[in-house]
Amino acid sequence: MQTPAPFEYERATSVEGAIAALERLGSEARIIAGGHSLLPMMKLRLASPEHLIDINDLAELAYIREEDGEVRIGALTRHVDLLKSELLARHFPLFADAETVIADPVVRNRGTIGGSLCQADAAEDLSAVCSAAKAQVVIRGTGGERVVGMEDFHVGPYMTAVGAGEMLTEVRLPVHAGAGSAHEKVERRAGDWAIAAVSAAVWIDGGRIADAGLALSAVGVTTVHLTRGEELLRGEAPSEELFAKAGEIASEDCSPSADGRGPVDYKRHLAGVLTHRALRRATARATGQEARS
Ligand SMILES: Cc1cc2nc3c(=O)[nH]c(=O)nc-3n(C[C@H](O)[C@H](O)[C@H](O)COP(=O)(O)OP(=O)(O)OC[C@H]3O[C@@H](n4cnc5c(N)ncnc54)[C@H](O)[C@@H]3O)c2cc1C
């Protein structure tokens, strides 16, 4: 039988209260949101926090809204709400692509965007989605708020920029004209973690790619930010040849490990193919050509 080590439990009634508890209890305290990553780790004794601070009553952290030229998502927003959001479908369709293939309805009804990003599992889908969409995250502590870009959020495997006494409160996605995005994933069976997954976003202006975001899941020790691929795309007219070159870069710049999901060469190949496909679909969405692509 797998049983967690003993722990104290409290339910936060406000964000300020949760942060005060984190500050008071120190490094042995952990936030619990959906619990779909933390509880399995506790049962396996890979995590043994002495205190759990439950944030599930904090309705003020569960929202998706447009404000100041950004789509803003509260940290406690569940996968299912990301899947169903019309606002996200309009501006960032890669969320629905990803959410359709993240786990199963049981996990999606409970798991949160904050928990997904803070778990910082390299195989997790939403970190790549948020990276490609050029998201910034809001981290709050007793000293106030700071805003961190996704490129600086993951500081190592299962490690983030969220410090002691802090929590993630919001994800911000900048909205610009000419945007298109897509998430492509290959898994062994429905609901499984990725063998490899790629998130792509493009912003098209005057027939050229003004900016691009590319990030990969499950092919490195953290989410892979494909900066060399993004540089290749910027300023270019979209084409199959260009997307194929970006795919080659993805194969070269990822660093997968061999495991039960496949050997290194296979994962590198997938990273390339999925990058090409995600870019093709993101561009078709940006230019209104999706139905014909
Ligand atoms: C069977 C199964 C299959 C899955 N398949 C996939 C998949 O294919 N793709 C995928 O992307 N994910 C998958 N997941 C993970 C799922 O998406 C989880 O919901 C997610 O990883 C964690 O979200 P959570 O809200 O449950 O976080 P929790 O488990 O509650 O917390 C995870 C970590 O984040 C911290 N945390 C939570 N919220 C905050 C916050 N606001 N501020 C600071 N720290 C915080 C916690 O302290 C903990 O360290 C799967 C999970 C399961 C159980």
Side-chain angles (χ1 to χ4, degrees), residues 30-31 33-38 79 111-112 115 125 168 185 192-193:
R30 293 279 278 275
I31 297 273
H36 273 299
S37 292
L38 185 54
H79 290 297
T112 66
D125 290 273
L168 189 150
K185 174 176 176 176
D192 196 9
W193 295 85

Side-chain angles (χ1 to χ4, degrees), residues 141-258:
T142 45
E145 276 184 2
R146 57 199 177 94
V147 180
V148 174
M150 276 306 291
E151 65 282 8
D152 297 319
F153 182 67
H154 292 127
V155 296
Y158 303 99
M159 289 188 290
T160 71
V162 179
E166 291 184 322
M167 64 182 285
L168 189 150
T169 54
E170 188 175 72
V171 178
R172 295 179 177 171
L173 306 160
V175 175
H176 300 296
S181 59
H183 183 78
E184 293 279 349
K185 174 176 176 176
V186 170
E187 52 200 341
R188 291 177 301 183
R189 56 183 176 271
D192 196 9
W193 295 85
I195 302 172
V198 176
S199 286
V202 292
W203 289 269
I204 309 269
D205 185 17
R208 294 195 172 262
I209 299 172
D211 200 3
L214 281 172
L216 287 67
S217 301
V219 288
V221 292
T222 60
T223 303
V224 176
H225 303 265
L226 209 62
T227 43
R228 208 158 62 93
E230 293 174 3
E231 281 161 19
L232 169 86
L233 296 165
R234 255 177 232 125
E236 298 294 327
S239 69
E240 283 294 307
E241 293 70 29
L242 186 67
F243 302 157
K245 270 191 211 153
E248 282 167 24
I249 290 174
S251 296
E252 286 165 17
D253 288 5
C254 66
S255 50
S257 313

Side-chain angles (χ1 to χ4, degrees), residues 242-288:
L242 186 67
F243 302 157
K245 270 191 211 153
E248 282 167 24
I249 290 174
S251 296
E252 286 165 17
D253 288 5
C254 66
S255 50
S257 313
D259 59 18
R261 288 184 169 79
V264 167
D265 285 355
Y266 171 57
K267 293 185 182 184
R268 282 191 190 281
H269 172 73
L270 273 187
V273 170
L274 296 182
T275 297
H276 188 145
R277 276 189 207 160
L279 280 169
R280 181 193 291 146
R281 206 144 62 90
T283 303
R285 285 172 168 170
T287 55

